[in-house]
Amino acid sequence: MLRFVLRRVGISLLVMLGASALLFWLVTVSGDALADLRESNAENRQTLMNSRIRTMGLDEPWWSRYLSWLGGVARCFTLDCRLGVTRNGVDVQQLMGNAAVTTLRLVVLATLLAIVVGVAVGILTALRQYSGFDYTVTFLAFLFFSLPVFWAAVLLKEFGAIRFNDWLADPLISPLVTVLLAVVLAFVLQSIVGGGPRRRLTTGGIAFVWIAVSLVVFEETGTFRDPSFGVVPLAIAGAGAAVLTTTLVTGLGHRRVLYAALTTVALVVVGSLALGGVVDDPGHAVVLVGLYALAVVTALVVGWAWGGSSRRQAMAVSAVTATLVCLLVLMSKVAEYWGSYLVLQPRPISTIGASTPGFAGTFWEDFIDKGTQLVLPTILLMLISVASYSRYTRSSMLEVLEQDYVRTARSKGLSERTVVTRHAFRNALIPITTIVAFDFAGLIGGAVITEQVFGWKGMGELFQTGLNQTDPIPVMAFFLVTGSAAILMNLLADIAYASLDPRIRR
C-alpha cells in the first residue's frame, strides 16, 4: 500500500510539473503585461515600464522565469517558500494565504453538505426505483446540473436574500402559503417513506398536520426571529439522533450499542451545560474544535466500555452520535443569539462579500454573520455537486443491489436495513470516492465564477486578476492550491479504497 501511494504521489508531481510549465507559458503569451503603461500619457511612463520589467522579469525568457518560480516552490520542502511577487510588488504568498482560507471555507462546507445530501438522496432513489420520488429527483438533478452558475446566483440573490430579508422583517405566513408548504413537504415525506397506499396516506396526513401546526405556532410565538430552545429539546433531539444512528448501523436489537449512544448524548449535553461559560464565549474557533475532539474521545471511551462483543460498532455509533449532538449544540447557540444578531444586522442574508465590514458583536454574533455570508454561495455550489452525487450513488447502488452476494444476504433472511447498510452501501461507495476526490478540486476551480458573482475575495479573484494583468505569478499560486488539493484528495481516495475494499491493500 505504501509503495502504491508513493508511486501515485510521484506520478501526480510529474503531472503537476508538466501542467505548471504549460500554464505558465500560456499566461505569458496570452497578452502584453505592459499594455496599460504603453497607453498611458504619464510623464514617467518609461520609468514605470522599466520598474515593472524588473519586477516581473520581462527581460528574461519565459522558461527562465518559470525555473525561478519553480525554485521558489521547491524551497517549500524546507519551509521557506518563495512564490514571487505580483506585478505591483505584493508578496503573492500572503495574498494566497488569505484567498485560500476564504475559498476553502466555502468549498469544504459545500463539499461536505453535497456528499451527505447527494449520497442520501441517491440511496433513497435507488431503493425507490421508478417511483414518483425517483422521477422527481432525477428531473431536479438534471435541472440543477444544467443551470448556468451566474443565472442561478442571480435567482438566489433575488429570492434567497432580498425577498427573504424583506419577509424576515415581519415574518407573516398567509393561510394559503401555510397549506401549500404543508402539502408539498408532506408529499415529499410520504414519497421518501414509501409503502402501500394506506401507509403513504397516513404518513402524508400526519406530516401535513404537523408542518401546518408548526408554521402557525412559529409565527404566533415569533420563533422565526427568536428561535432559541432549551436543554430539554436538545436532549430529546440528541436521543433521536442516537436511536437513528443505532438503527442504521446495527439495529435496535443491539442494546449495548444503543446504551452507548444514549450515554454519549447524556454526557455531551451535560458537558455543554457544565462548560456553559466556555461555550458562550469560546473566544476562538479553535476552542470549539477542541471541545468537539473531547466529545469524540469521550464517545469512543463510552463505546469501548459499553460495547462488549459489539465494541467496534458501539464506538463507531457513539462517535457519530457525539458529532450529531455537537452539531445540535452548535445550532442551539446560533438560535440563542439569532435575535440579538438581527438587532445588529436586520438584513442577515448578504448578496456580496464574505463578511460584514466593521461588524462588531459577540463571538456567536460574529459566527452567525460569517455563516450567513456562506449561505448563498454554498447553496449554489452544493446544488451542482448534489446532482452529480445523487446520480452516481443511485447508479452504483442499483448495480450493487443486483449482485449475487446481496441476493444471498436476502435469502439468508437478513433484514433490508442490514442488506443495504452492511452489504450494499459500502461497496457502492467505491465509485463515489473517486467522484468526490475530483469534485473537490473541481469546486475550487468552479468557485471562480461563484466568488465573482458574490464578491468574495478568494482564489477566484487571485486567478482572474493574474489572468487579466498577464501576470503568471498569481495564476500559478491558484494552480498550486488546486493542484495540491487534487493530489491530497486522490491520496485520501486511495486510502478510502483500501478501507472500503480490503482486497485493494494487496
Side-chain angles (χ1 to χ4, degrees):
M1 183 65 184
L2 179 61
R3 180 182 298 178
F4 174 73
V5 171
L6 292 177
R7 185 168 62 249
R8 289 294 301 272
V9 172
I11 295 174
S12 299
L13 291 177
L14 288 177
V15 171
M16 281 195 67
L17 182 65
S20 63
L22 178 61
L23 182 61
F24 197 101
W25 174 74
L26 288 174
V27 174
T28 56
V29 301
S30 64
D32 183 6
L34 302 174
D36 58 322
L37 295 179
R38 297 186 195 279
E39 299 172 357
S40 174
N41 295 322
E43 296 181 358
N44 60 339
R45 184 184 66 173
Q46 190 59 44
T47 302
L48 294 175
M49 292 177 65
N50 293 336
S51 176
R52 183 175 296 180
I53 290 173
R54 288 193 302 270
T55 301
M56 298 183 64
L58 298 179
D59 53 343
E60 302 176 10
W62 74 268
W63 53 266
S64 178
R65 297 164 58 194
Y66 169 73
L67 291 177
S68 299
W69 175 83
L70 191 61
V73 174
R75 296 173 68 100
C76 292
F77 292 102
T78 62
L79 303 180
D80 185 25
C81 295
R82 303 287 178 87
L83 304 183
V85 297
T86 67
R87 73 177 192 178
N88 297 322
V90 180
D91 186 4
V92 76
Q93 189 171 343
Q94 181 179 358
L95 296 177
M96 185 181 71
N98 298 331
V101 170
T102 301
T103 297
L104 291 177
R105 180 158 58 101
L106 170 64
V107 172
V108 169
L109 180 61
T111 302
L112 292 177
L113 291 176
I115 292 172
V116 173
V117 176
V119 171
V121 170
I123 293 174
L124 290 174
T125 52
L127 299 178
R128 301 282 185 271
Q129 187 182 15
Y130 302 136
S131 64
F133 176 71
D134 184 22
Y135 287 127
T136 302
V137 170
T138 300
F139 169 76
L140 292 176
F142 283 109
L143 176 64
F144 292 149
F145 192 78
S146 305
L147 282 178
V149 174
F150 59 88
W151 183 71
V154 172
L155 292 181
L156 283 175
K157 283 187 174 185
E158 175 65 24
F159 296 99
I162 298 175
R163 298 198 183 187
F164 176 79
N165 290 332
D166 293 340
W167 172 80
L168 192 60
D170 188 17
L172 299 177
I173 303 178
S174 65
L176 177 61
V177 174
T178 300
V179 172
L180 289 177
L181 284 175
V183 168
V184 172
L185 294 177
F187 176 78
V188 172
L189 184 60
Q190 64 86 24
S191 299
I192 294 175
V193 173
R198 183 176 179 180
R199 181 180 178 181
R200 287 175 176 270
L201 185 61
T202 303
T203 303
I206 295 174
F208 172 82
V209 173
W210 183 77
I211 294 170
V213 171
S214 298
L215 290 175
V216 173
V217 171
F218 289 168
E219 180 182 343
E220 294 296 327
T221 58
T223 303
F224 293 113
R225 292 189 62 86
D226 188 15
S228 59
F229 55 92
V231 66
V232 175
L234 176 63
I236 294 175
V243 172
L244 177 62
T245 305
T246 306
T247 301
L248 292 176
V249 177
T250 63
L252 295 178
H254 291 70
R255 294 298 181 184
R256 284 185 169 273
V257 177
L258 178 61
Y259 295 156
L262 292 175
T263 303
T264 299
V265 173
L267 291 177
V268 174
V269 172
V270 171
S272 67
L273 295 176
L275 299 173
V278 178
V279 176
D280 285 337
D281 188 16
H284 198 278
V286 175
V287 177
L288 294 180
V289 175
L291 292 176
Y292 166 67
L294 178 62
V296 172
V297 171
T298 303
L300 293 174
V301 173
V302 170
W304 183 87
W306 267 113
S309 60
S310 302
R311 183 164 290 163
R312 183 177 179 181
Q313 292 88 339
M315 294 175 68
V317 169
S318 297
V320 173
T321 302
T323 300
L324 295 177
V325 178
C326 287
L327 287 176
L328 290 173
V329 173
L330 181 67
M331 292 170 58
S332 71
K333 301 308 295 184
V334 170
E336 180 181 343
Y337 285 89
W338 177 252
S340 60
Y341 171 71
L342 289 181
V343 176
L344 300 175
Q345 186 65 279
R347 301 182 68 83
I349 307 300
S350 176
T351 59
I352 190 169
S355 61
T356 302
F359 182 83
T362 63
F363 172 85
W364 287 108
E365 289 166 351
D366 185 66
F367 180 87
I368 295 172
D369 179 68
K370 288 183 171 60
T372 53
Q373 311 295 328
L374 279 169
V375 171
L376 297 186
T378 298
I379 291 176
L380 182 60
L381 292 176
M382 186 186 73
L383 287 178
I384 300 173
S385 295
V386 163
S388 300
Y389 291 153
S390 64
R391 292 300 85 197
Y392 281 112
T393 303
R394 178 183 182 273
S395 175
S396 183
M397 277 293 294
L398 289 176
E399 181 180 355
V400 170
L401 288 173
E402 295 298 324
Q403 298 297 316
D404 291 339
Y405 62 86
V406 174
R407 287 195 291 268
T408 301
R410 284 173 172 160
S411 66
K412 291 166 60 178
L414 297 179
S415 64
E416 188 66 15
R417 179 201 59 79
T418 303
V419 172
V420 172
T421 57
R422 289 193 182 182
H423 296 272
F425 177 60
R426 182 171 180 173
N427 290 306
L429 278 181
I430 295 178
I432 308 304
T433 305
T434 304
I435 304 302
V436 172
F438 285 101
D439 187 67
F440 182 80
L443 274 181
I444 297 179
V448 172
I449 299 176
T450 303
E451 290 178 3
Q452 183 180 4
V453 173
F454 289 102
W456 278 54
K457 307 236 179 248
M459 296 300 299
E461 186 191 41
L462 193 66
F463 174 81
Q464 186 179 12
T465 301
L467 205 59
N468 291 338
Q469 296 179 352
T470 320
D471 188 356
I473 300 301
V475 177
M476 298 309 294
F478 173 85
F479 171 80
L480 200 60
V481 173
T482 55
S484 300
I487 291 178
L488 177 61
M489 293 304 296
N490 276 280
L491 283 178
L492 293 178
D494 292 336
I495 297 173
Y497 290 154
S499 176
L500 293 171
D501 189 350
R503 294 173 298 178
I504 297 177
R505 301 173 191 172
R506 298 191 294 269

